[in-house]
């Protein structure tokens, strides 16, 4: 993973920091800044992060601080060449057809979309993946679990749905998901330990 310069370890660190700060300072913006760092790396993770913030009953300031830093970092590139920047950071990574043409191993990725592509030669459209993700997010938001272990678990589930139906998913994505699950487990165990002490 380090050799290939995958960014999932950095995003795992940012999620750990955000979770710690949300537990320690639930109404402050500190945790949101780390979520903003995740969005600065991969803006397509907006739906899982929005679900996380909604499930933890975030303040408006927390929402803003998760999107303003990546927006500010993107601004110089947008000003320099908006079309090229958006094409390379948004259009390409959200257009499955483009990924199938330019990213050769996408047909052997470890997800449902790859199986469909391999056996039917059909690429799941972005709208279908987005709709599945939105429905999953809404179902998890309706549950209204605002305790941090459930918040991180719901974020894991949104990532899982998006990875399974998205254009591709590789081993380092599963490492990221595994780390989110370990964080969830840690939070559940911490909660149980506190309950036993009282």
């Amino acid at each position: 993973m380090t050799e290939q310069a995958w960014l999932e370890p950095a995003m795992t660190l940012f999620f750990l920091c955000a979770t710690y700060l949300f537990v320690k300072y639930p109404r402050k913006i500190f945790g949101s800044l780390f979520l903003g760092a995740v969005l600065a790396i991969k803006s397509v993770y907006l739906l899982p992060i929005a679900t996380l913030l909604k499930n933890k009953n975030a303040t408006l300031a927390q929402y803003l601080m998760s999107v303003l830093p990546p927006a500010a970092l993107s601004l110089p590139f947008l000003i320099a060449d908006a079309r090229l920047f958006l094409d390379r950071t948004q259009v390409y990574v959200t257009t499955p057809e483009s990924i199938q043409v330019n990213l050769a191993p996408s047909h052997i990725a470890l997800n449902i979309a790859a199986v469909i592509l391999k056996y039917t030669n059909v690429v799941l459209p972005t709208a279908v993946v987005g709709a599945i993700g939105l429905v999953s997010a809404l179902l998890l938001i309706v549950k209204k679990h605002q305790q941090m272990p459930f918040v991180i678990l719901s974020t894991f589930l949104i990532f899982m749905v998006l990875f399974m139906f998205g254009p591709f998913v590789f081993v380092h994505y599963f490492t990221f998901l595994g780390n989110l699950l370990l964080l969830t487990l840690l939070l559940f165990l911490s909660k149980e330990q506190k309950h036993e002490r009282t």
Side-chain angles (χ1 to χ4, degrees), residues 37-65:
V38 172
L39 286 177
I41 295 172
K42 290 192 178 180
S43 58
V44 291
Y45 289 174
L46 182 62
L47 182 61
I49 287 175
T51 304
L52 185 153
L53 290 169
K54 178 63 180 168
N55 280 341
K56 77 162 284 306
N57 201 19
T59 64
L60 179 60
Q62 289 174 325
Y63 279 106
L64 288 174
M65 290 316 295

